[in-house]
Short mmCIF file of all heavy atoms in Angstrom, two decimals:
data_model
loop_
_atom_site.label_atom_id
_atom_site.label_comp_id
_atom_site.label_asym_id
_atom_site.label_seq_id
_atom_site.Cartn_x
_atom_site.Cartn_y
_atom_site.Cartn_z
N ALA C 80 -5.08 7.83 -9.10
CA ALA C 80 -6.29 7.14 -9.55
C ALA C 80 -6.04 6.02 -10.55
O ALA C 80 -6.77 5.04 -10.57
CB ALA C 80 -7.28 8.15 -10.14
N HIS C 81 -5.03 6.18 -11.37
CA HIS C 81 -4.81 5.19 -12.41
C HIS C 81 -3.59 4.30 -12.13
O HIS C 81 -3.17 3.53 -12.98
CB HIS C 81 -4.69 5.88 -13.76
CG HIS C 81 -5.89 6.72 -14.07
ND1 HIS C 81 -7.14 6.18 -14.31
CD2 HIS C 81 -6.06 8.05 -14.10
CE1 HIS C 81 -8.00 7.15 -14.52
NE2 HIS C 81 -7.38 8.29 -14.39
N ASP C 82 -3.04 4.42 -10.93
CA ASP C 82 -1.94 3.54 -10.53
C ASP C 82 -2.47 2.13 -10.31
O ASP C 82 -3.64 1.93 -10.00
CB ASP C 82 -1.29 4.03 -9.23
CG ASP C 82 -0.48 5.30 -9.43
OD1 ASP C 82 -0.34 5.73 -10.59
OD2 ASP C 82 -0.01 5.85 -8.42
N GLU C 83 -1.60 1.19 -10.44
CA GLU C 83 -1.97 -0.21 -10.24
C GLU C 83 -2.06 -0.58 -8.77
O GLU C 83 -2.83 -1.44 -8.39
CB GLU C 83 -0.94 -1.11 -10.93
CG GLU C 83 -0.89 -0.94 -12.43
CD GLU C 83 -2.12 -1.50 -13.11
OE1 GLU C 83 -2.65 -2.53 -12.65
OE2 GLU C 83 -2.55 -0.91 -14.11
N GLY C 84 -1.24 0.04 -7.92
CA GLY C 84 -1.13 -0.38 -6.53
C GLY C 84 -2.27 0.08 -5.64
O GLY C 84 -3.04 0.97 -5.98
N ARG C 85 -2.34 -0.55 -4.48
CA ARG C 85 -3.32 -0.17 -3.47
C ARG C 85 -2.83 1.06 -2.71
O ARG C 85 -1.64 1.31 -2.63
CB ARG C 85 -3.53 -1.32 -2.48
CG ARG C 85 -4.16 -2.53 -3.10
CD ARG C 85 -4.24 -3.62 -2.06
NE ARG C 85 -5.08 -4.70 -2.52
CZ ARG C 85 -5.41 -5.74 -1.78
NH1 ARG C 85 -4.95 -5.85 -0.55
NH2 ARG C 85 -6.19 -6.67 -2.26
N PHE C 86 -3.78 1.79 -2.11
CA PHE C 86 -3.41 2.95 -1.33
C PHE C 86 -4.24 3.00 -0.06
O PHE C 86 -5.33 2.42 0.03
CB PHE C 86 -3.56 4.24 -2.12
CG PHE C 86 -4.98 4.57 -2.48
CD1 PHE C 86 -5.80 5.28 -1.61
CD2 PHE C 86 -5.51 4.18 -3.70
CE1 PHE C 86 -7.11 5.59 -1.95
CE2 PHE C 86 -6.81 4.47 -4.05
CZ PHE C 86 -7.62 5.18 -3.16
N PHE C 87 -3.69 3.69 0.92
CA PHE C 87 -4.37 3.99 2.17
C PHE C 87 -4.28 5.49 2.37
O PHE C 87 -3.19 6.07 2.25
CB PHE C 87 -3.70 3.28 3.35
CG PHE C 87 -4.19 3.74 4.68
CD1 PHE C 87 -5.34 3.19 5.24
CD2 PHE C 87 -3.52 4.74 5.38
CE1 PHE C 87 -5.81 3.63 6.46
CE2 PHE C 87 -3.99 5.18 6.61
CZ PHE C 87 -5.14 4.63 7.16
N ALA C 88 -5.40 6.13 2.64
CA ALA C 88 -5.41 7.57 2.91
C ALA C 88 -6.14 7.83 4.22
O ALA C 88 -7.29 7.42 4.37
CB ALA C 88 -6.08 8.32 1.76
N TRP C 89 -5.45 8.49 5.13
CA TRP C 89 -6.08 8.94 6.37
C TRP C 89 -6.37 10.42 6.19
O TRP C 89 -5.46 11.22 5.94
CB TRP C 89 -5.14 8.73 7.56
CG TRP C 89 -5.62 9.34 8.85
CD1 TRP C 89 -6.90 9.39 9.31
CD2 TRP C 89 -4.82 9.99 9.83
NE1 TRP C 89 -6.95 10.02 10.53
CE2 TRP C 89 -5.68 10.40 10.87
CE3 TRP C 89 -3.47 10.25 9.94
CZ2 TRP C 89 -5.23 11.08 12.00
CZ3 TRP C 89 -3.01 10.92 11.07
CH2 TRP C 89 -3.89 11.31 12.08
N ILE C 90 -7.65 10.77 6.28
CA ILE C 90 -8.06 12.16 6.11
C ILE C 90 -8.62 12.63 7.44
O ILE C 90 -9.65 12.14 7.90
CB ILE C 90 -9.09 12.30 4.97
CG1 ILE C 90 -8.49 11.78 3.67
CG2 ILE C 90 -9.54 13.74 4.86
CD1 ILE C 90 -9.46 11.69 2.51
N HIS C 91 -7.93 13.57 8.03
CA HIS C 91 -8.28 14.07 9.36
C HIS C 91 -8.94 15.45 9.24
O HIS C 91 -8.31 16.40 8.78
CB HIS C 91 -7.00 14.18 10.20
CG HIS C 91 -7.21 14.88 11.49
ND1 HIS C 91 -6.86 16.20 11.68
CD2 HIS C 91 -7.74 14.46 12.66
CE1 HIS C 91 -7.16 16.55 12.91
NE2 HIS C 91 -7.69 15.52 13.52
N LEU C 92 -10.21 15.51 9.62
CA LEU C 92 -10.93 16.79 9.59
C LEU C 92 -11.13 17.27 11.03
O LEU C 92 -11.46 16.48 11.91
CB LEU C 92 -12.28 16.63 8.88
CG LEU C 92 -12.20 16.09 7.46
CD1 LEU C 92 -13.58 15.94 6.86
CD2 LEU C 92 -11.32 16.98 6.59
N PHE C 93 -10.94 18.55 11.24
CA PHE C 93 -10.92 19.10 12.59
C PHE C 93 -12.02 20.14 12.83
O PHE C 93 -12.12 20.70 13.91
CB PHE C 93 -9.54 19.74 12.82
CG PHE C 93 -9.22 20.03 14.26
CD1 PHE C 93 -8.92 19.01 15.14
CD2 PHE C 93 -9.19 21.34 14.72
CE1 PHE C 93 -8.60 19.27 16.46
CE2 PHE C 93 -8.85 21.61 16.05
CZ PHE C 93 -8.56 20.58 16.92
N ASP C 94 -12.85 20.40 11.85
CA ASP C 94 -13.78 21.52 11.91
C ASP C 94 -14.63 21.61 13.18
O ASP C 94 -14.69 22.67 13.78
CB ASP C 94 -14.67 21.54 10.67
CG ASP C 94 -13.85 21.74 9.42
OD1 ASP C 94 -13.62 22.90 9.06
OD2 ASP C 94 -13.41 20.74 8.84
N PRO C 95 -15.33 20.56 13.59
CA PRO C 95 -16.20 20.75 14.76
C PRO C 95 -15.43 20.77 16.09
O PRO C 95 -15.59 19.89 16.92
CB PRO C 95 -17.17 19.58 14.70
CG PRO C 95 -16.79 18.73 13.56
CD PRO C 95 -15.53 19.27 12.99
N HIS C 96 -14.57 21.72 16.24
CA HIS C 96 -13.82 21.95 17.48
C HIS C 96 -13.91 23.43 17.83
O HIS C 96 -14.04 24.27 16.95
CB HIS C 96 -12.34 21.58 17.30
CG HIS C 96 -12.06 20.13 17.41
ND1 HIS C 96 -12.30 19.25 16.38
CD2 HIS C 96 -11.55 19.39 18.43
CE1 HIS C 96 -11.94 18.03 16.76
NE2 HIS C 96 -11.49 18.10 18.00
N ARG C 97 -13.80 23.72 19.12
CA ARG C 97 -13.79 25.12 19.55
C ARG C 97 -12.55 25.81 19.02
O ARG C 97 -11.51 25.17 18.92
CB ARG C 97 -13.79 25.19 21.08
CG ARG C 97 -15.15 24.91 21.66
CD ARG C 97 -15.16 25.10 23.16
NE ARG C 97 -14.71 26.42 23.57
CZ ARG C 97 -15.51 27.45 23.78
NH1 ARG C 97 -16.80 27.31 23.62
NH2 ARG C 97 -15.03 28.60 24.16
N PRO C 98 -12.60 27.05 18.68
CA PRO C 98 -13.80 27.88 18.69
C PRO C 98 -14.65 27.56 17.47
O PRO C 98 -14.13 27.38 16.37
CB PRO C 98 -13.25 29.30 18.62
CG PRO C 98 -11.93 29.16 17.92
CD PRO C 98 -11.40 27.79 18.30
N TYR C 99 -15.95 27.43 17.65
CA TYR C 99 -16.85 27.03 16.57
C TYR C 99 -17.08 28.23 15.65
O TYR C 99 -17.81 29.15 15.97
CB TYR C 99 -18.19 26.54 17.13
CG TYR C 99 -18.03 25.47 18.19
CD1 TYR C 99 -18.59 25.64 19.45
CD2 TYR C 99 -17.33 24.31 17.94
CE1 TYR C 99 -18.46 24.66 20.43
CE2 TYR C 99 -17.18 23.33 18.91
CZ TYR C 99 -17.75 23.52 20.15
OH TYR C 99 -17.61 22.55 21.10
N LYS C 100 -16.43 28.18 14.48
CA LYS C 100 -16.52 29.28 13.52
C LYS C 100 -16.65 28.70 12.12
O LYS C 100 -15.69 28.68 11.35
CB LYS C 100 -15.28 30.17 13.60
CG LYS C 100 -15.13 30.90 14.92
CD LYS C 100 -13.86 31.74 14.92
CE LYS C 100 -13.67 32.40 16.27
NZ LYS C 100 -12.40 33.12 16.35
N ALA C 101 -17.82 28.22 11.79
CA ALA C 101 -18.06 27.65 10.46
C ALA C 101 -18.04 28.76 9.42
O ALA C 101 -18.40 29.90 9.70
CB ALA C 101 -19.41 26.94 10.44
N PRO C 102 -17.61 28.44 8.20
CA PRO C 102 -17.66 29.44 7.12
C PRO C 102 -19.11 29.69 6.68
O PRO C 102 -20.00 28.88 6.96
CB PRO C 102 -16.84 28.81 6.01
CG PRO C 102 -16.75 27.36 6.31
CD PRO C 102 -17.00 27.19 7.78
N ALA C 103 -19.31 30.79 5.99
CA ALA C 103 -20.63 31.13 5.47
C ALA C 103 -21.07 30.05 4.49
O ALA C 103 -20.24 29.48 3.79
CB ALA C 103 -20.58 32.49 4.78
N PRO C 104 -22.34 29.74 4.41
CA PRO C 104 -23.47 30.29 5.15
C PRO C 104 -23.74 29.58 6.47
O PRO C 104 -24.69 29.90 7.17
CB PRO C 104 -24.64 30.07 4.20
CG PRO C 104 -24.30 28.77 3.53
CD PRO C 104 -22.80 28.80 3.37
N TYR C 105 -22.87 28.64 6.83
CA TYR C 105 -23.11 27.83 8.02
C TYR C 105 -22.88 28.61 9.31
O TYR C 105 -23.35 28.21 10.37
CB TYR C 105 -22.25 26.57 7.98
CG TYR C 105 -22.49 25.77 6.73
CD1 TYR C 105 -21.66 25.89 5.64
CD2 TYR C 105 -23.59 24.93 6.63
CE1 TYR C 105 -21.91 25.18 4.47
CE2 TYR C 105 -23.84 24.21 5.48
CZ TYR C 105 -22.99 24.35 4.40
OH TYR C 105 -23.25 23.65 3.25
N ASP C 106 -22.17 29.71 9.23
CA ASP C 106 -21.91 30.52 10.42
C ASP C 106 -23.15 31.24 10.93
O ASP C 106 -23.27 31.52 12.12
CB ASP C 106 -20.78 31.52 10.16
CG ASP C 106 -21.08 32.46 9.01
OD1 ASP C 106 -21.96 32.16 8.18
OD2 ASP C 106 -20.40 33.50 8.92
N THR C 107 -24.09 31.53 10.03
CA THR C 107 -25.31 32.23 10.44
C THR C 107 -26.55 31.34 10.41
O THR C 107 -27.60 31.75 10.88
CB THR C 107 -25.56 33.46 9.54
OG1 THR C 107 -25.63 33.01 8.17
CG2 THR C 107 -24.44 34.48 9.69
N LYS C 108 -26.43 30.16 9.87
CA LYS C 108 -27.57 29.26 9.76
C LYS C 108 -28.08 28.83 11.13
O LYS C 108 -29.28 28.67 11.34
CB LYS C 108 -27.18 28.04 8.92
CG LYS C 108 -28.36 27.19 8.52
CD LYS C 108 -27.92 26.15 7.51
CE LYS C 108 -29.12 25.34 7.06
NZ LYS C 108 -28.77 24.32 6.09
N TYR C 109 -27.17 28.61 12.07
CA TYR C 109 -27.52 28.20 13.42
C TYR C 109 -26.83 29.13 14.42
O TYR C 109 -25.87 28.74 15.08
CB TYR C 109 -27.08 26.75 13.68
CG TYR C 109 -27.62 25.78 12.67
CD1 TYR C 109 -26.79 25.28 11.67
CD2 TYR C 109 -28.96 25.38 12.70
CE1 TYR C 109 -27.28 24.39 10.73
CE2 TYR C 109 -29.45 24.50 11.76
CZ TYR C 109 -28.61 24.01 10.77
OH TYR C 109 -29.10 23.14 9.84
N PRO C 110 -27.31 30.37 14.55
CA PRO C 110 -26.61 31.34 15.41
C PRO C 110 -26.52 30.90 16.87
O PRO C 110 -25.57 31.26 17.56
CB PRO C 110 -27.42 32.62 15.26
CG PRO C 110 -28.73 32.22 14.69
CD PRO C 110 -28.50 30.94 13.94
N ASP C 111 -27.48 30.10 17.32
CA ASP C 111 -27.45 29.63 18.71
C ASP C 111 -26.81 28.24 18.85
O ASP C 111 -26.75 27.71 19.95
CB ASP C 111 -28.87 29.59 19.29
CG ASP C 111 -29.48 30.98 19.37
OD1 ASP C 111 -28.72 31.95 19.56
OD2 ASP C 111 -30.71 31.10 19.23
N ALA C 112 -26.35 27.68 17.73
CA ALA C 112 -25.74 26.35 17.76
C ALA C 112 -24.57 26.31 16.77
O ALA C 112 -24.62 25.62 15.75
CB ALA C 112 -26.78 25.28 17.41
N PRO C 113 -23.49 27.06 17.05
CA PRO C 113 -22.38 27.11 16.10
C PRO C 113 -21.70 25.77 15.87
O PRO C 113 -21.17 25.52 14.78
CB PRO C 113 -21.42 28.13 16.73
CG PRO C 113 -21.79 28.17 18.18
CD PRO C 113 -23.26 27.87 18.24
N TYR C 114 -21.74 24.88 16.85
CA TYR C 114 -21.19 23.53 16.67
C TYR C 114 -21.94 22.81 15.55
O TYR C 114 -21.34 22.19 14.68
CB TYR C 114 -21.28 22.75 17.97
CG TYR C 114 -20.83 21.31 17.87
CD1 TYR C 114 -19.48 20.99 17.86
CD2 TYR C 114 -21.75 20.26 17.82
CE1 TYR C 114 -19.06 19.67 17.77
CE2 TYR C 114 -21.34 18.95 17.75
CZ TYR C 114 -20.00 18.65 17.72
OH TYR C 114 -19.58 17.35 17.63
N ARG C 115 -23.26 22.94 15.56
CA ARG C 115 -24.07 22.32 14.52
C ARG C 115 -23.71 22.88 13.14
O ARG C 115 -23.66 22.15 12.15
CB ARG C 115 -25.56 22.52 14.81
CG ARG C 115 -26.43 21.86 13.78
CD ARG C 115 -27.89 21.94 14.12
NE ARG C 115 -28.67 21.33 13.05
CZ ARG C 115 -29.97 21.21 13.07
NH1 ARG C 115 -30.66 21.62 14.12
NH2 ARG C 115 -30.60 20.66 12.06
N GLY C 116 -23.45 24.18 13.07
CA GLY C 116 -23.03 24.78 11.81
C GLY C 116 -21.74 24.17 11.30
O GLY C 116 -21.60 23.90 10.10
N GLU C 117 -20.78 23.91 12.20
CA GLU C 117 -19.52 23.30 11.79
C GLU C 117 -19.72 21.86 11.34
O GLU C 117 -19.11 21.42 10.38
CB GLU C 117 -18.49 23.38 12.92
CG GLU C 117 -17.95 24.78 13.09
CD GLU C 117 -16.53 24.80 13.61
OE1 GLU C 117 -16.05 23.79 14.15
OE2 GLU C 117 -15.89 25.85 13.45
N VAL C 118 -20.58 21.12 12.04
CA VAL C 118 -20.85 19.74 11.65
C VAL C 118 -21.52 19.71 10.28
O VAL C 118 -21.16 18.90 9.41
CB VAL C 118 -21.71 19.02 12.71
CG1 VAL C 118 -22.21 17.68 12.20
CG2 VAL C 118 -20.93 18.85 14.01
N GLU C 119 -22.49 20.59 10.05
CA GLU C 119 -23.18 20.61 8.76
C GLU C 119 -22.24 21.02 7.63
O GLU C 119 -22.29 20.47 6.53
CB GLU C 119 -24.39 21.55 8.81
CG GLU C 119 -25.25 21.42 7.58
CD GLU C 119 -26.59 22.12 7.70
OE1 GLU C 119 -27.24 21.97 8.75
OE2 GLU C 119 -26.97 22.81 6.74
N TYR C 120 -21.36 21.99 7.90
CA TYR C 120 -20.36 22.38 6.90
C TYR C 120 -19.47 21.19 6.54
O TYR C 120 -19.23 20.90 5.37
CB TYR C 120 -19.51 23.54 7.42
CG TYR C 120 -18.20 23.69 6.68
CD1 TYR C 120 -18.17 24.22 5.39
CD2 TYR C 120 -17.01 23.28 7.25
CE1 TYR C 120 -16.98 24.33 4.69
CE2 TYR C 120 -15.81 23.39 6.56
CZ TYR C 120 -15.80 23.91 5.28
OH TYR C 120 -14.62 24.01 4.59
N MET C 121 -18.98 20.49 7.55
CA MET C 121 -18.10 19.34 7.31
C MET C 121 -18.86 18.24 6.55
O MET C 121 -18.32 17.63 5.63
CB MET C 121 -17.55 18.79 8.62
CG MET C 121 -16.46 17.76 8.41
SD MET C 121 -15.76 17.16 9.96
CE MET C 121 -17.14 16.26 10.61
N ASP C 122 -20.11 18.01 6.91
CA ASP C 122 -20.93 17.02 6.21
C ASP C 122 -21.08 17.38 4.73
O ASP C 122 -20.97 16.53 3.86
CB ASP C 122 -22.29 16.92 6.90
CG ASP C 122 -23.18 15.88 6.28
OD1 ASP C 122 -22.80 14.70 6.27
OD2 ASP C 122 -24.27 16.25 5.79
N TYR C 123 -21.31 18.67 4.46
CA TYR C 123 -21.42 19.13 3.07
C TYR C 123 -20.13 18.87 2.31
O TYR C 123 -20.14 18.37 1.17
CB TYR C 123 -21.78 20.61 3.05
CG TYR C 123 -21.73 21.22 1.67
CD1 TYR C 123 -22.73 20.95 0.73
CD2 TYR C 123 -20.66 22.03 1.29
CE1 TYR C 123 -22.67 21.49 -0.55
CE2 TYR C 123 -20.60 22.56 0.01
CZ TYR C 123 -21.59 22.29 -0.89
OH TYR C 123 -21.53 22.82 -2.17
N GLN C 124 -18.99 19.18 2.92
CA GLN C 124 -17.69 18.98 2.26
C GLN C 124 -17.43 17.50 2.03
O GLN C 124 -16.90 17.11 0.98
CB GLN C 124 -16.57 19.62 3.08
CG GLN C 124 -16.62 21.14 3.12
CD GLN C 124 -16.52 21.77 1.75
OE1 GLN C 124 -15.84 21.27 0.84
NE2 GLN C 124 -17.19 22.89 1.57
N LEU C 125 -17.77 16.65 3.00
CA LEU C 125 -17.61 15.20 2.80
C LEU C 125 -18.50 14.71 1.66
O LEU C 125 -18.09 13.86 0.87
CB LEU C 125 -17.94 14.44 4.08
CG LEU C 125 -16.82 14.39 5.11
CD1 LEU C 125 -17.34 13.82 6.42
CD2 LEU C 125 -15.65 13.57 4.59
N GLY C 126 -19.72 15.24 1.56
CA GLY C 126 -20.60 14.87 0.45
C GLY C 126 -19.98 15.19 -0.89
O GLY C 126 -20.02 14.37 -1.83
N LYS C 127 -19.38 16.36 -1.01
CA LYS C 127 -18.68 16.73 -2.25
C LYS C 127 -17.51 15.79 -2.52
O LYS C 127 -17.27 15.40 -3.66
CB LYS C 127 -18.18 18.18 -2.17
CG LYS C 127 -19.25 19.21 -2.33
CD LYS C 127 -18.78 20.65 -2.21
CE LYS C 127 -17.41 20.96 -2.68
NZ LYS C 127 -17.02 22.38 -2.54
N PHE C 128 -16.79 15.42 -1.48
CA PHE C 128 -15.65 14.51 -1.63
C PHE C 128 -16.11 13.13 -2.09
O PHE C 128 -15.51 12.53 -2.99
CB PHE C 128 -14.87 14.42 -0.31
CG PHE C 128 -13.68 13.53 -0.37
CD1 PHE C 128 -12.54 13.91 -1.07
CD2 PHE C 128 -13.68 12.30 0.26
CE1 PHE C 128 -11.43 13.09 -1.13
CE2 PHE C 128 -12.57 11.47 0.22
CZ PHE C 128 -11.44 11.87 -0.49
N PHE C 129 -17.19 12.63 -1.52
CA PHE C 129 -17.72 11.32 -1.94
C PHE C 129 -18.20 11.37 -3.38
O PHE C 129 -18.05 10.40 -4.13
CB PHE C 129 -18.82 10.85 -1.00
CG PHE C 129 -18.34 10.57 0.41
CD1 PHE C 129 -19.16 10.82 1.49
CD2 PHE C 129 -17.06 10.08 0.66
CE1 PHE C 129 -18.71 10.58 2.79
CE2 PHE C 129 -16.61 9.84 1.94
CZ PHE C 129 -17.45 10.08 3.01
N GLN C 130 -18.78 12.50 -3.81
CA GLN C 130 -19.16 12.66 -5.21
C GLN C 130 -17.93 12.62 -6.11
O GLN C 130 -17.95 12.04 -7.21
CB GLN C 130 -19.93 13.96 -5.42
CG GLN C 130 -21.32 13.95 -4.84
CD GLN C 130 -22.00 15.30 -4.94
OE1 GLN C 130 -21.41 16.31 -5.31
NE2 GLN C 130 -23.28 15.34 -4.57
N TYR C 131 -16.85 13.23 -5.66
CA TYR C 131 -15.59 13.19 -6.40
C TYR C 131 -15.11 11.74 -6.56
O TYR C 131 -14.70 11.32 -7.65
CB TYR C 131 -14.52 14.04 -5.69
CG TYR C 131 -13.14 13.77 -6.21
CD1 TYR C 131 -12.70 14.32 -7.41
CD2 TYR C 131 -12.27 12.92 -5.51
CE1 TYR C 131 -11.44 14.04 -7.89
CE2 TYR C 131 -11.00 12.65 -6.00
CZ TYR C 131 -10.59 13.21 -7.19
OH TYR C 131 -9.35 12.92 -7.68
N LEU C 132 -15.15 10.97 -5.46
CA LEU C 132 -14.74 9.56 -5.54
C LEU C 132 -15.59 8.81 -6.55
O LEU C 132 -15.07 7.99 -7.32
CB LEU C 132 -14.84 8.90 -4.17
CG LEU C 132 -13.89 9.40 -3.08
CD1 LEU C 132 -14.16 8.67 -1.76
CD2 LEU C 132 -12.44 9.24 -3.48
N ASP C 133 -16.89 9.07 -6.56
CA ASP C 133 -17.79 8.44 -7.55
C ASP C 133 -17.38 8.83 -8.97
O ASP C 133 -17.27 7.97 -9.85
CB ASP C 133 -19.25 8.86 -7.31
CG ASP C 133 -19.86 8.24 -6.07
OD1 ASP C 133 -19.31 7.24 -5.55
OD2 ASP C 133 -20.89 8.76 -5.61
N LYS C 134 -17.18 10.12 -9.19
CA LYS C 134 -16.84 10.63 -10.52
C LYS C 134 -15.54 10.04 -11.04
O LYS C 134 -15.41 9.72 -12.22
CB LYS C 134 -16.76 12.16 -10.48
CG LYS C 134 -16.55 12.81 -11.83
CD LYS C 134 -16.44 14.31 -11.69
CE LYS C 134 -15.00 14.62 -11.95
NZ LYS C 134 -14.46 15.86 -11.64
N GLU C 135 -14.58 9.85 -10.16
CA GLU C 135 -13.28 9.31 -10.55
C GLU C 135 -13.27 7.79 -10.62
O GLU C 135 -12.25 7.19 -10.94
CB GLU C 135 -12.20 9.79 -9.58
CG GLU C 135 -11.93 11.28 -9.63
CD GLU C 135 -11.36 11.73 -10.97
OE1 GLU C 135 -10.48 11.03 -11.51
OE2 GLU C 135 -11.81 12.78 -11.46
N GLY C 136 -14.39 7.15 -10.28
CA GLY C 136 -14.47 5.70 -10.31
C GLY C 136 -13.75 5.02 -9.16
O GLY C 136 -13.46 3.83 -9.22
N LEU C 137 -13.48 5.77 -8.10
CA LEU C 137 -12.76 5.21 -6.96
C LEU C 137 -13.70 4.56 -5.95
O LEU C 137 -13.25 3.73 -5.15
CB LEU C 137 -11.93 6.30 -6.28
CG LEU C 137 -10.76 6.82 -7.10
CD1 LEU C 137 -10.16 8.06 -6.45
CD2 LEU C 137 -9.71 5.74 -7.27
#
Side-chain angles (χ1 to χ4, degrees):
H81 304 292
D82 288 354
E83 296 289 325
R85 294 176 168 185
F86 66 87
F87 169 85
W89 172 38
I90 301 173
H91 171 259
L92 303 179
F93 195 73
D94 297 272
H96 279 79
R97 283 185 55 93
Y99 308 124
K100 295 179 184 175
Y105 304 97
D106 59 342
T107 57
K108 192 170 183 180
Y109 305 104
D111 296 329
Y114 176 78
R115 181 175 178 178
E117 286 210 342
V118 170
E119 190 169 314
Y120 161 74
M121 190 177 68
D122 182 60
Y123 172 75
Q124 293 300 326
L125 279 170
K127 285 178 33 180
F128 181 72
F129 295 146
Q130 288 174 353
Y131 166 79
L132 294 178
D133 288 342
K134 186 182 108 194
E135 293 295 318
L137 292 170

